[in-house]
Amino acid sequence: MSYSGLEFENSHRLAEREYSLLYEANVAALLTTGNGYMGVRASLEEYGSLGIQGFWIRGVMDEVVEVRLTMCDNMYMKKYYVEEDRLKRFERQERAVNLLDFLLVRFEIGGETFYPWEGKVLSWKRYLDLSDGVLHREVVWENTEGLRTRFDFRRFASFADDHTYCMQVEMEPLNYSEAVTILSGMDLRTKSNGQIPQRTLKVQHEGRTIMQEEIVGPKYGFHSATGISQSFSQSNAVWEDVCEDGIAAQRITFDAVQGEVYTLEKLIATVTGRDTRRKLSDCIEEYFEAYQKSSYQEEYEKHCAVYQKLFSKLEIGIEGDDTADRAIRFSNYHTLISIERNDHVHSFSAKGLTGEMYNNFVWWDAEIFQAPVFQQTMPEYSRNSLLFRYSHLKEARELAVKEGCRGARYPFTTGVTGEETVWTDVRHPFMQIHCVSDVGLSVINYLTATGDMEFVKQYGMEILLEICRYWVSRVVWKEEKNRYEILQVTGTDEHHPYVDNNAYTNYSVYRVLSAACRLLDEYGSELDELKKKIGFKAGEKGEFEHVAEHIYLPLDEDTGMIPQFDGYFDLSRELEVQGGSKSGYTQMKQAGLYNKSQVIKQPDVLMLFAYQNIDMPEIIYRRNLDYYQARCEAASSLSYCVHSICYADMDMPESAYGYLMETAEMDLKNKHGGTQDGIHSGCAAGAWMAVVRGVAGMKMTPDRVVFAPHYIPWWKQVSFHCVWHGQGYSVILNNRGIQVTADEENTGELVLSIYEKEYVLKAGETAEYEFSKAASIRG
């Protein structure tokens, strides 16, 4: 199967066999190399084309001009979507800055520069190896004079050191012996949204090194420094420093001999002002000293020792279905390179570090779709997303005050400041306040998966209590109905702003308030210091309890239907199409009057079952799934994993599998037409959840791991690994049954249940449940 000209050669290699301008932008995103701190798109070493090349560091941002044009030619766009007055004032927007292109390696042979669009490409193979995270390119090229050269490019972002990127290039003259020149260094002419906000402060050449320092942009003034340490296998080559026309490089000239292999290595370090208060040039000099004693191979071995261990934690193995096995592994690769393991300056973003779209902002995807994967596999890293939110409580409190509320009101999107950064010309995000309770749900999910109450007492409870304060001040008491309501909001379905009592929002608030009250009861005096710190008054817990007890939880008990919001079922089941402006940034599939229609952008009610695991009779679950799936136009990539989980819960494998593959192949097949702008990171994380939560039916609770396994009949076996309360375990599921084995390294007990059968496993023990026979335990 071909994906944007790419095919899987085996379980771990996604390869391109022919250079294609048609797919180049898609491939640049798909084959991105990264380590969570940095992301480097798969642009060519010889030339980083605009729109193809990209190098971002998480959280290094500034403002640029952003042009947003739309014409409101229907009443929905005019009254419900675009805020035209703010659109007139809108001019600049924050975004991650494309710093520079350090990949530059350009060969001149017989007076001609190697470009794949010049001369003849006799063979071409570019592939990302998921087993080690290395991007390869193997080319045989012939210039117009018939001189043939073999090139072999390799590169990776180091998992052993966030700041290190490594490159190795081999070249071999196949039918000639003559002088060859290599231009290797960095191209400083990179653009962000078509502009160059960064300003170079200094370029320094010394020996075989190049250092560049720059100010990333005018608003925040982040400083960045990048250093390249180069070595070349030909000792008598002539080196010349180059600093001209936006290129900082070294020109290496040597006499190439037919059949000899020549190797260039580039070890690259980037450090920014977000990482340290030290002088950045001193940091780069330290890297230069270390690189002098190292090599590509040594850095590769250090990288693999970390990368392969971490990738194995996310690994899902599927036997009997190569297409699913490979697509899910690819999704897991992009999930892995989306997490920053070593700081909390920033958090998960919607495109990771694979493209410019969505500006590297943190959205609610971070807490609901992305963090849960790591909470269940690498909990020690998942806490960074919570620490990011904790570090911006001040800004969240200030935003609440602006709304006339108490507590903390987290923004719909944010960069590194913790302030609201969403595009001001769109109405719905400012009402999409479920993002506040989503942060609270992430605290609860972390505690459920880890049992790490010490972390929660130190950080999470303050977040939770401030979120509860916000909701207590935001709800509205309806005396005649004896209940609290939440008015004028937007749910996860962005097609319907200005609604009352959105189901996802109301149920989420109930869960957060209830959980906070339980923790206050359970830990009592242990939280006294925190209560004193935030001025938590004696009567506040009672307020939380009263709202939790009386908040309206939408459900028609006669029909079993959960209305997505008040009046939802009064709307038309069809969508009237009117006008044709449908601006690209609206994510609408049609120019429709959505305010009059039940057609939704993405799941809202179904999120309660798939990602919040609310406990309702199956008949209610099934009715709502059947109804809302039919109303969903899936304009968001986050739709498919939700539907897959729901259909798995209903033991409908054909539908569950179909939506699982929609999720895993979202960007491989460019299903939403935006792969060139970056990977849909939340969707990629959803592939893991669709297998583990969906197919395996695994849910973590505070006191055990619960399995209600389902199965895809044509799969022979599925396997994965998780961690609950510090105890690791492996799962093997097939049509005959399920096995759960506690890790040999475990120091405590693993408590689990499979359907009605309960188990307590010590290190190395296995619980076996045969679907047609009684369960057993063996050591």
Side-chain angles (χ1 to χ4, degrees):
M1 181 178 292
S2 178
Y3 303 109
S4 295
L6 302 172
E7 293 185 0
F8 280 101
E9 287 188 329
N10 56 40
S11 61
H12 286 77
R13 285 190 178 183
L14 183 60
E16 176 189 56
R17 290 285 187 173
E18 180 181 358
Y19 174 63
S20 169
L21 288 169
L22 176 64
Y23 296 122
E24 188 172 13
N26 289 359
V27 171
L30 292 168
L31 303 188
T32 292
T33 49
N35 59 13
Y37 172 82
M38 69 170 75
V40 181
R41 279 165 64 98
S43 56
L44 304 180
E45 286 83 355
E46 55 270 19
Y47 195 85
S49 299
L50 295 178
I52 309 297
Q53 179 274 337
F55 164 48
W56 299 278
I57 290 177
R58 186 175 301 285
V60 178
M61 314 180 82
D62 213 278
E63 275 191 348
V64 300
V65 172
E66 184 168 332
V67 178
R68 290 168 68 83
L69 299 174
T70 190
M71 181 176 67
C72 299
D73 59 357
N74 69 37
M75 290 302 290
Y76 174 74
M77 294 294 289
K78 191 81 170 178
K79 293 183 64 175
Y80 294 92
Y81 205 93
V82 178
E83 219 302 339
E84 291 184 281
D85 200 51
R86 290 202 299 258
L87 179 61
K88 285 187 174 183
R89 298 194 298 270
F90 180 89
E91 184 173 334
R92 304 183 69 85
Q93 181 63 301
E94 184 178 304
R95 65 171 51 235
V97 174
N98 182 10
L99 296 175
L100 50 84
D101 182 5
F102 54 57
L103 299 176
L104 176 64
V105 178
R106 194 172 293 163
F107 287 87
E108 185 177 311
I109 299 163
E112 299 179 34
T113 300
F114 162 55
Y115 297 120
W117 51 87
E118 303 288 355
K120 292 182 180 179
V121 174
L122 303 180
S123 70
W124 176 282
K125 180 180 175 181
R126 180 163 51 156
Y127 64 92
L128 178 65
D129 193 330
L130 304 179
S131 69
D132 58 10
V134 177
L135 179 62
H136 299 251
R137 182 165 57 121
E138 301 164 0
V139 184
V140 176
W141 178 73
E142 180 181 88
N143 72 3
T144 59
E145 298 299 318
L147 304 183
R148 296 183 177 182
T149 309
R150 179 186 66 82
F151 299 103
D152 191 345
F153 299 83
R154 304 182 187 94
R155 69 199 211 208
F156 64 90
S158 175
F159 266 70
D161 185 320
D162 277 355
H163 304 277
T164 293
Y165 196 91
C166 303
M167 300 175 61
Q168 184 183 76
V169 184
E170 291 182 356
M171 69 85 64
E172 177 188 1
L174 298 180
N175 65 348
Y176 64 90
S177 296
E178 67 171 68
V180 172
T181 298
I182 307 172
L183 183 68
S184 179
M186 57 183 80
D187 188 338
L188 308 180
R189 301 167 299 171
T190 54
K191 291 187 174 183
S192 301
N193 198 38
Q195 300 150 73
I196 304 178
Q198 66 270 34
R199 177 168 59 88
T200 296
L201 299 175
K202 179 177 72 172
V203 173
Q204 173 183 304
H205 291 78
E206 186 173 335
R208 302 292 186 260
T209 67
I210 310 167
M211 184 193 304
Q212 183 257 12
E213 293 185 60
E214 65 184 10
I215 294 178
V216 173
K219 181 175 182 179
Y220 299 129
F222 282 118
H223 280 225
S224 172
T226 298
I228 299 176
S229 177
Q230 308 199 98
S231 63
F232 187 59
S233 59
Q234 184 72 0
S235 59
N236 61 359
V238 177
W239 292 66
E240 175 190 357
D241 295 336
V242 176
C243 189
E244 59 188 21
D245 192 27
I247 302 291
Q250 290 169 322
R251 187 175 287 115
I252 307 166
T253 304
F254 65 101
D255 292 322
V257 177
Q258 180 178 340
E260 293 289 326
V261 177
Y262 302 91
T263 304
L264 171 71
E265 293 189 357
K266 294 175 68 171
L267 302 182
I268 302 142
T270 297
V271 183
T272 76
R274 54 142 277 187
D275 310 314
T276 180
R277 294 184 178 181
R278 296 179 57 204
K279 190 176 180 181
L280 298 187
S281 59
D282 290 345
C283 297
I284 297 298
E285 291 291 350
E286 288 181 5
Y287 274 102
F288 283 161
E289 291 178 17
Y291 292 160
Q292 291 300 313
K293 303 171 187 176
S294 188
S295 65
Y296 176 92
Q297 183 61 30
E298 291 178 63
E299 295 298 323
Y300 170 75
E301 290 172 3
K302 290 188 286 186
H303 156 73
C304 282
V306 180
Y307 173 88
Q308 291 172 349
K309 180 180 179 181
L310 295 178
F311 194 53
S312 69
K313 294 177 183 290
L314 286 181
E315 182 78 301
I316 291 175
I318 297 172
E319 297 180 16
D321 187 344
D322 287 347
T323 301
D325 178 68
R326 295 168 182 183
I328 292 166
R329 183 169 295 109
F330 174 80
S331 295
N332 288 343
Y333 166 79
H334 276 284
T335 298
L336 178 61
I337 68 171
S338 73
I339 186 172
E340 173 49 61
R341 293 165 290 123
N342 299 314
D343 68 46
H344 55 271
V345 172
H346 197 256
S347 185
F348 299 101
S349 52
K351 292 287 186 181
L353 295 168
T354 65
E356 285 197 67
M357 181 64 80
Y358 302 138
N359 298 37
N360 200 220
F361 290 159
V362 179
W363 307 64
W364 66 282
D365 314 18
E367 280 77 29
I368 300 303
F369 289 91
Q370 293 164 282
V373 176
F374 294 98
Q375 288 165 349
Q376 299 174 80
T377 57
M378 306 178 207
E380 67 274 25
Y381 301 131
S382 70
R383 66 177 61 142
N384 284 337
S385 63
L386 293 175
L387 288 172
F388 171 76
R389 296 297 193 181
Y390 180 82
S391 69
H392 292 297
L393 265 171
K394 174 179 176 290
E395 291 79 14
R397 288 175 174 126
E398 291 172 351
L399 188 53
V401 170
K402 288 181 181 178
E403 291 190 359
C405 294
R406 294 187 287 135
R409 195 282 204 201
Y410 282 97
F412 182 63
T413 71
T414 191
V416 289
T417 64
E419 299 172 346
E420 181 64 78
T421 55
V422 75
W423 293 264
T424 60
D425 55 303
V426 185
R427 296 173 186 263
H428 68 78
F430 298 95
M431 293 172 277
Q432 209 159 341
I433 53 176
H434 67 80
C435 64
V436 182
S437 47
D438 290 337
V439 176
L441 290 174
S442 191
V443 175
I444 297 164
N445 290 339
Y446 174 81
L447 180 60
T448 299
T450 67
D452 184 3
M453 191 59 201
E454 290 306 310
F455 178 87
V456 173
K457 284 191 287 189
Q458 188 172 359
Y459 303 104
M461 278 304 294
E462 187 171 352
I463 295 173
L464 269 181
L465 295 179
E466 293 292 8
I467 286 172
C468 289
R469 282 173 161 174
Y470 172 78
W471 284 116
V472 166
S473 63
R474 178 63 172 78
V475 296
V476 176
W477 175 252
K478 295 291 186 176
E479 186 68 37
E480 69 281 9
K481 298 176 182 178
N482 193 40
R483 72 188 189 193
Y484 289 100
E485 298 186 358
I486 305 176
L487 310 179
Q488 293 297 283
V489 299
T490 306
T492 63
D493 162 33
E494 296 172 356
H495 288 353
H496 292 92
Y498 301 106
V499 302
D500 296 338
N501 295 312
N502 166 252
Y504 179 84
T505 304
N506 285 30
Y507 278 88
S508 299
V509 172
Y510 167 76
R511 284 195 63 207
V512 169
L513 288 167
S514 299
C517 290
R518 286 195 302 271
L519 292 171
L520 286 168
D521 285 338
E522 186 172 354
Y523 292 95
S525 61
E526 295 179 52
L527 301 173
D528 285 349
E529 188 175 335
L530 169 61
K531 293 176 184 177
K532 182 178 180 181
K533 173 186 174 184
I534 66 173
F536 191 78
K537 298 176 183 177
E540 288 192 76
K541 177 175 172 289
E543 290 182 304
F544 298 173
E545 290 173 327
H546 194 264
V547 174
E549 183 179 352
H550 292 86
I551 192 168
Y552 172 48
L553 299 178
L555 174 64
D556 186 328
E557 295 184 359
D558 293 330
T559 65
M561 296 301 296
I562 300 173
Q564 184 174 298
F565 51 81
D566 290 355
Y568 174 81
F569 292 122
D570 297 330
L571 301 176
S572 171
R573 296 171 72 250
E574 307 299 324
L575 177 65
E576 180 184 351
V577 176
Q578 188 180 97
S581 62
K582 196 174 75 67
S583 178
Y585 64 77
T586 63
Q587 293 189 326
M588 298 167 198
K589 287 196 170 180
Q590 302 179 74
L593 300 181
Y594 290 93
N595 56 302
K596 296 182 177 181
S597 173
Q598 293 181 22
V599 173
I600 60 177
K601 175 189 173 186
Q602 65 196 88
D604 185 285
V605 170
L606 297 182
M607 285 288 295
L608 301 176
F609 298 97
Y611 275 82
Q612 292 198 34
N613 301 324
I614 64 168
D615 186 17
M616 287 192 179
E618 182 179 318
I619 186 64
I620 292 178
Y621 189 171
R622 187 177 294 275
R623 284 179 180 177
N624 282 276
L625 171 58
D626 182 61
Y627 195 87
Y628 281 107
Q629 183 276 336
R631 308 281 84 73
C632 183
E633 70 174 12
S636 167
S637 66
L638 300 175
S639 305
Y640 304 103
C641 56
V642 179
H643 289 154
S644 179
I645 292 169
C646 291
Y647 278 113
D649 283 347
M650 294 297 107
D651 283 311
M652 299 175 69
E654 190 70 44
S655 295
Y657 180 80
Y659 281 116
L660 167 61
M661 295 308 294
E662 292 278 352
T663 304
E665 295 183 320
M666 170 58 59
D667 291 299
L668 287 168
K669 288 188 173 180
N670 195 17
K671 289 177 175 291
H672 278 202
T675 297
Q676 71 276 4
D677 298 318
I679 297 296
H680 293 80
S681 297
C683 180
W688 188 94
M689 288 292 287
V691 174
V692 175
R693 164 64 184 85
V695 177
M698 191 192 86
K699 303 175 187 177
M700 290 187 176
T701 72
D703 63 349
R704 71 190 58 228
V705 183
V706 177
F707 288 91
H710 315 285
Y711 208 67
I712 307 298
W714 51 94
W715 288 1
K716 293 181 180 179
Q717 181 170 286
V718 58
S719 58
F720 57 89
H721 185 272
C722 288
V723 181
W724 175 82
H725 288 216
Q727 311 307 307
Y729 58 95
S730 298
V731 179
I732 297 176
L733 173 65
N734 54 43
N735 277 324
R736 298 180 303 279
I738 185 171
Q739 293 181 356
V740 182
T741 302
D743 290 357
E744 293 283 355
E745 300 80 14
N746 287 356
T747 58
E749 294 179 333
L750 173 65
V751 184
L752 61 101
S753 63
I754 305 173
Y755 295 120
E756 74 286 351
K757 181 67 176 178
E758 297 183 359
Y759 306 83
V760 179
L761 303 183
K762 296 179 181 178
E765 289 186 331
T766 297
E768 295 186 34
Y769 189 102
E770 295 185 24
F771 296 145
S772 59
K773 299 179 181 179
S776 64
I777 289 185
R778 60 179 172 79

